[in-house]
Short mmCIF file of all heavy atoms in Angstrom, two decimals:
data_model
loop_
_atom_site.label_atom_id
_atom_site.label_comp_id
_atom_site.label_asym_id
_atom_site.label_seq_id
_atom_site.Cartn_x
_atom_site.Cartn_y
_atom_site.Cartn_z
N SER A 1119 2.79 -1.17 -6.49
CA SER A 1119 2.05 -0.86 -5.24
C SER A 1119 1.70 0.62 -5.25
O SER A 1119 2.25 1.44 -6.00
CB SER A 1119 2.83 -1.20 -4.00
OG SER A 1119 1.91 -1.31 -2.88
N GLY A 1120 0.77 0.96 -4.34
CA GLY A 1120 0.35 2.40 -4.31
C GLY A 1120 0.12 2.87 -2.84
O GLY A 1120 -0.06 2.05 -1.96
N VAL A 1121 0.15 4.18 -2.66
CA VAL A 1121 -0.18 4.80 -1.36
C VAL A 1121 -1.12 5.96 -1.66
O VAL A 1121 -0.89 6.71 -2.63
CB VAL A 1121 1.14 5.26 -0.69
CG1 VAL A 1121 0.79 6.06 0.61
CG2 VAL A 1121 2.03 4.12 -0.33
N GLN A 1122 -2.10 6.09 -0.79
CA GLN A 1122 -3.06 7.23 -1.02
C GLN A 1122 -2.50 8.58 -0.50
O GLN A 1122 -2.01 8.55 0.65
CB GLN A 1122 -4.35 6.93 -0.23
CG GLN A 1122 -5.15 5.76 -0.66
CD GLN A 1122 -6.44 5.70 0.06
OE1 GLN A 1122 -7.33 6.49 -0.25
NE2 GLN A 1122 -6.58 4.84 0.99
N THR A 1124 -3.66 10.88 1.32
CA THR A 1124 -4.72 11.36 2.20
C THR A 1124 -4.17 11.97 3.49
O THR A 1124 -4.85 12.06 4.49
CB THR A 1124 -5.72 10.22 2.50
OG1 THR A 1124 -4.93 9.04 2.74
CG2 THR A 1124 -6.66 9.97 1.41
N HIS A 1128 2.39 7.70 7.85
CA HIS A 1128 2.81 7.34 9.21
C HIS A 1128 3.78 6.17 9.16
O HIS A 1128 4.08 5.58 8.11
CB HIS A 1128 1.60 7.04 10.09
CG HIS A 1128 0.62 6.07 9.53
ND1 HIS A 1128 0.93 4.73 9.46
CD2 HIS A 1128 -0.56 6.23 9.00
CE1 HIS A 1128 -0.09 4.09 8.91
NE2 HIS A 1128 -1.05 4.96 8.61
N GLY A 1130 3.42 3.18 10.09
CA GLY A 1130 2.81 1.91 9.55
C GLY A 1130 2.93 1.90 8.03
O GLY A 1130 3.33 0.87 7.45
N ASN A 1131 2.63 3.05 7.37
CA ASN A 1131 2.82 3.10 5.88
C ASN A 1131 4.26 2.85 5.55
O ASN A 1131 4.58 2.23 4.55
CB ASN A 1131 2.38 4.46 5.37
CG ASN A 1131 0.93 4.84 5.55
OD1 ASN A 1131 0.65 5.94 6.02
ND2 ASN A 1131 0.04 3.96 5.33
N LEU A 1133 6.78 1.21 7.40
CA LEU A 1133 7.28 -0.13 7.69
C LEU A 1133 6.53 -1.22 6.96
O LEU A 1133 7.09 -2.16 6.48
CB LEU A 1133 7.25 -0.44 9.19
CG LEU A 1133 8.17 0.47 10.08
CD1 LEU A 1133 7.90 0.18 11.55
CD2 LEU A 1133 9.60 0.21 9.73
N GLY A 1134 5.20 -1.05 6.76
CA GLY A 1134 4.41 -1.98 6.12
C GLY A 1134 4.54 -1.97 4.58
O GLY A 1134 4.37 -2.99 3.88
N ALA A 1135 4.83 -0.83 4.05
CA ALA A 1135 4.80 -0.64 2.57
C ALA A 1135 6.11 0.03 2.04
O ALA A 1135 6.91 -0.61 1.36
CB ALA A 1135 3.58 0.11 2.17
N PHE A 1139 9.02 -1.25 -0.53
CA PHE A 1139 9.18 -0.82 -1.93
C PHE A 1139 10.65 -0.59 -2.26
O PHE A 1139 11.11 -0.93 -3.35
CB PHE A 1139 8.44 0.54 -2.17
CG PHE A 1139 7.00 0.59 -1.95
CD1 PHE A 1139 6.32 1.77 -2.14
CD2 PHE A 1139 6.27 -0.55 -1.57
CE1 PHE A 1139 4.94 1.87 -1.91
CE2 PHE A 1139 4.85 -0.45 -1.37
CZ PHE A 1139 4.20 0.74 -1.55
N VAL A 1153 -1.89 7.03 -5.34
CA VAL A 1153 -3.22 6.72 -5.84
C VAL A 1153 -4.22 7.81 -5.50
O VAL A 1153 -5.06 7.68 -4.64
CB VAL A 1153 -3.71 5.29 -5.40
CG1 VAL A 1153 -2.89 4.28 -6.21
CG2 VAL A 1153 -3.56 5.01 -3.93
N GLN A 1220 -12.91 -3.48 4.52
CA GLN A 1220 -12.45 -2.07 4.55
C GLN A 1220 -13.61 -1.16 4.21
O GLN A 1220 -13.78 -0.09 4.84
CB GLN A 1220 -11.34 -1.80 3.57
CG GLN A 1220 -10.82 -0.36 3.64
CD GLN A 1220 -9.51 -0.17 2.86
OE1 GLN A 1220 -8.48 -0.66 3.16
NE2 GLN A 1220 -9.66 0.71 1.84
N LYS A 1224 -14.86 1.72 6.68
CA LYS A 1224 -14.80 3.15 6.30
C LYS A 1224 -16.20 3.76 6.17
O LYS A 1224 -16.35 4.92 6.45
CB LYS A 1224 -13.98 3.31 5.01
CG LYS A 1224 -12.53 3.00 5.28
CD LYS A 1224 -11.61 3.71 4.27
CE LYS A 1224 -10.16 3.53 4.78
NZ LYS A 1224 -9.18 4.03 3.84
N TYR A 1239 -13.91 0.77 -4.67
CA TYR A 1239 -12.45 0.96 -4.46
C TYR A 1239 -11.63 -0.29 -4.88
O TYR A 1239 -10.65 -0.20 -5.60
CB TYR A 1239 -12.28 1.26 -2.95
CG TYR A 1239 -10.89 1.61 -2.46
CD1 TYR A 1239 -10.57 2.90 -1.98
CD2 TYR A 1239 -9.88 0.67 -2.37
CE1 TYR A 1239 -9.30 3.17 -1.51
CE2 TYR A 1239 -8.65 0.92 -1.87
CZ TYR A 1239 -8.36 2.25 -1.40
OH TYR A 1239 -7.13 2.49 -0.98
N PRO A 1256 3.61 -5.52 -2.85
CA PRO A 1256 3.94 -5.37 -1.45
C PRO A 1256 2.92 -4.45 -0.77
O PRO A 1256 2.72 -3.31 -1.22
CB PRO A 1256 5.37 -4.70 -1.46
CG PRO A 1256 5.40 -4.02 -2.84
CD PRO A 1256 4.55 -4.75 -3.81
N VAL A 1257 2.30 -4.93 0.26
CA VAL A 1257 1.30 -4.17 1.03
C VAL A 1257 1.32 -4.59 2.47
O VAL A 1257 1.87 -5.60 2.86
CB VAL A 1257 -0.16 -4.44 0.47
CG1 VAL A 1257 -0.49 -3.65 -0.72
CG2 VAL A 1257 -0.43 -5.92 0.31
N GLY A 1258 0.65 -3.73 3.23
CA GLY A 1258 0.44 -4.12 4.66
C GLY A 1258 -0.66 -5.14 4.76
O GLY A 1258 -1.37 -5.39 3.80
N ASP A 1259 -0.78 -5.76 5.91
CA ASP A 1259 -1.70 -6.82 6.17
C ASP A 1259 -3.15 -6.40 5.90
O ASP A 1259 -4.00 -7.21 5.46
CB ASP A 1259 -1.51 -7.21 7.67
CG ASP A 1259 -2.40 -8.34 8.04
OD1 ASP A 1259 -2.22 -9.43 7.54
OD2 ASP A 1259 -3.33 -8.06 8.87
N ASP A 1260 -3.46 -5.14 6.09
CA ASP A 1260 -4.86 -4.65 5.93
C ASP A 1260 -5.35 -4.78 4.48
O ASP A 1260 -6.52 -4.71 4.21
CB ASP A 1260 -5.03 -3.19 6.38
CG ASP A 1260 -4.07 -2.24 5.65
OD1 ASP A 1260 -2.90 -2.62 5.36
OD2 ASP A 1260 -4.53 -1.14 5.28
N GLN A 1261 -4.43 -4.96 3.52
CA GLN A 1261 -4.85 -5.02 2.11
C GLN A 1261 -5.03 -6.45 1.57
O GLN A 1261 -5.22 -6.66 0.39
CB GLN A 1261 -3.82 -4.25 1.25
CG GLN A 1261 -3.85 -2.78 1.52
CD GLN A 1261 -5.17 -2.13 1.21
OE1 GLN A 1261 -5.89 -2.51 0.29
NE2 GLN A 1261 -5.56 -1.17 2.09
N ALA A 1314 6.89 -5.94 10.32
CA ALA A 1314 5.81 -5.11 10.81
C ALA A 1314 4.71 -4.95 9.76
O ALA A 1314 4.43 -3.86 9.28
CB ALA A 1314 6.30 -3.73 11.25
N PRO A 1315 4.05 -6.03 9.37
CA PRO A 1315 3.00 -5.93 8.36
C PRO A 1315 1.75 -5.26 8.83
O PRO A 1315 0.89 -4.82 8.10
CB PRO A 1315 2.68 -7.40 7.98
CG PRO A 1315 3.13 -8.19 9.19
CD PRO A 1315 4.28 -7.44 9.82
N ARG A 1316 1.62 -5.13 10.22
CA ARG A 1316 0.44 -4.46 10.75
C ARG A 1316 0.87 -3.66 12.01
O ARG A 1316 0.92 -4.24 13.09
CB ARG A 1316 -0.60 -5.47 11.11
CG ARG A 1316 -1.98 -4.87 11.43
CD ARG A 1316 -2.98 -5.97 11.66
NE ARG A 1316 -4.35 -5.40 11.77
CZ ARG A 1316 -5.16 -5.07 10.78
NH1 ARG A 1316 -4.70 -5.31 9.54
NH2 ARG A 1316 -6.34 -4.62 10.96
N VAL A 1317 1.23 -2.41 11.78
CA VAL A 1317 1.63 -1.58 12.96
C VAL A 1317 0.34 -1.08 13.60
O VAL A 1317 -0.60 -0.61 12.94
CB VAL A 1317 2.47 -0.37 12.45
CG1 VAL A 1317 2.75 0.57 13.53
CG2 VAL A 1317 3.77 -0.93 11.82
N MET A 1318 0.32 -1.15 14.93
CA MET A 1318 -0.92 -0.82 15.66
C MET A 1318 -0.86 0.61 16.19
O MET A 1318 0.21 1.19 16.33
CB MET A 1318 -1.12 -1.82 16.79
CG MET A 1318 -1.14 -3.26 16.34
SD MET A 1318 -2.13 -3.63 14.90
CE MET A 1318 -3.72 -3.79 15.62
N LYS A 1326 -5.38 -0.66 14.03
CA LYS A 1326 -4.14 -0.44 13.24
C LYS A 1326 -3.81 1.10 13.28
O LYS A 1326 -4.76 1.88 13.33
CB LYS A 1326 -4.27 -1.00 11.84
CG LYS A 1326 -5.04 -0.17 10.87
CD LYS A 1326 -4.75 -0.52 9.42
CE LYS A 1326 -5.52 0.41 8.52
NZ LYS A 1326 -4.89 0.69 7.28
N MET A 1327 -2.54 1.38 13.18
CA MET A 1327 -2.17 2.78 13.03
C MET A 1327 -2.71 3.29 11.69
O MET A 1327 -2.54 2.61 10.70
CB MET A 1327 -0.59 2.89 13.09
CG MET A 1327 -0.09 4.33 13.14
SD MET A 1327 1.73 4.42 13.22
CE MET A 1327 2.01 4.07 14.99
N SER A 1328 -3.34 4.42 11.71
CA SER A 1328 -4.08 4.83 10.54
C SER A 1328 -4.01 6.35 10.34
O SER A 1328 -4.01 7.13 11.30
CB SER A 1328 -5.51 4.35 10.73
OG SER A 1328 -6.42 5.12 10.01
N LYS A 1329 -4.01 6.75 9.04
CA LYS A 1329 -3.95 8.21 8.76
C LYS A 1329 -5.15 8.96 9.27
O LYS A 1329 -5.10 10.11 9.63
CB LYS A 1329 -3.88 8.41 7.25
CG LYS A 1329 -2.79 7.84 6.49
CD LYS A 1329 -2.81 8.35 5.05
CE LYS A 1329 -1.94 7.55 4.10
NZ LYS A 1329 -2.68 6.65 3.24
N SER A 1330 -6.29 8.21 9.24
CA SER A 1330 -7.51 8.94 9.52
C SER A 1330 -7.92 8.85 11.02
O SER A 1330 -8.93 9.39 11.40
CB SER A 1330 -8.68 8.36 8.68
OG SER A 1330 -8.75 6.96 8.92
N ASP A 1331 -7.08 8.26 11.84
CA ASP A 1331 -7.40 8.25 13.28
C ASP A 1331 -7.45 9.70 13.80
O ASP A 1331 -6.46 10.49 13.58
CB ASP A 1331 -6.38 7.47 14.07
CG ASP A 1331 -6.79 7.17 15.50
OD1 ASP A 1331 -7.27 8.08 16.20
OD2 ASP A 1331 -6.64 6.02 15.94
N1 LIG B 1058 -0.85 0.28 10.31
C1 LIG B 1058 -0.23 -0.24 9.24
N2 LIG B 1058 0.72 -1.13 9.37
C2 LIG B 1058 1.33 -1.66 8.23
N3 LIG B 1058 1.01 -1.25 6.99
C3 LIG B 1058 0.07 -0.32 6.82
N4 LIG B 1058 -0.42 0.31 5.74
C4 LIG B 1058 -1.36 1.21 6.10
N5 LIG B 1058 -1.50 1.17 7.47
C5 LIG B 1058 -0.58 0.26 7.93
C6 LIG B 1058 -0.02 0.01 4.37
O1 LIG B 1058 0.44 1.24 3.80
C7 LIG B 1058 0.11 1.21 2.36
C8 LIG B 1058 -0.55 2.48 1.97
O2 LIG B 1058 -1.80 2.56 2.58
P1 LIG B 1058 -2.90 3.51 1.95
O3 LIG B 1058 -2.51 4.90 2.01
O4 LIG B 1058 -3.16 3.07 0.55
O5 LIG B 1058 -4.22 3.28 2.69
P2 LIG B 1058 -4.68 2.66 4.03
O6 LIG B 1058 -4.33 1.23 4.12
O7 LIG B 1058 -6.13 2.93 4.04
O8 LIG B 1058 -3.86 3.53 5.02
P3 LIG B 1058 -4.31 4.14 6.39
O9 LIG B 1058 -3.11 4.82 6.90
O10 LIG B 1058 -4.90 3.20 7.31
O11 LIG B 1058 -5.37 5.20 5.95
P4 LIG B 1058 -6.82 5.41 6.42
O12 LIG B 1058 -6.80 5.93 7.76
O13 LIG B 1058 -7.42 6.32 5.40
O14 LIG B 1058 -7.50 4.02 6.40
C9 LIG B 1058 -0.74 -0.07 2.14
O15 LIG B 1058 0.12 -1.07 1.61
C10 LIG B 1058 -1.17 -0.37 3.52
O16 LIG B 1058 -1.38 -1.79 3.65
#
Side-chain angles (χ1 to χ4, degrees):
S1119 198
V1121 173
Q1122 295 188 74
T1124 39
H1128 53 72
N1131 299 132
L1133 294 175
F1139 299 178
V1153 287
Q1220 183 172 295
K1224 291 206 171 173
Y1239 184 112
V1257 279
D1259 179 68
D1260 59 319
Q1261 293 300 321
R1316 192 175 187 85
V1317 173
M1318 308 310 279
K1326 77 162 187 152
M1327 189 177 281
S1328 153
K1329 297 189 196 107
S1330 57
D1331 193 313

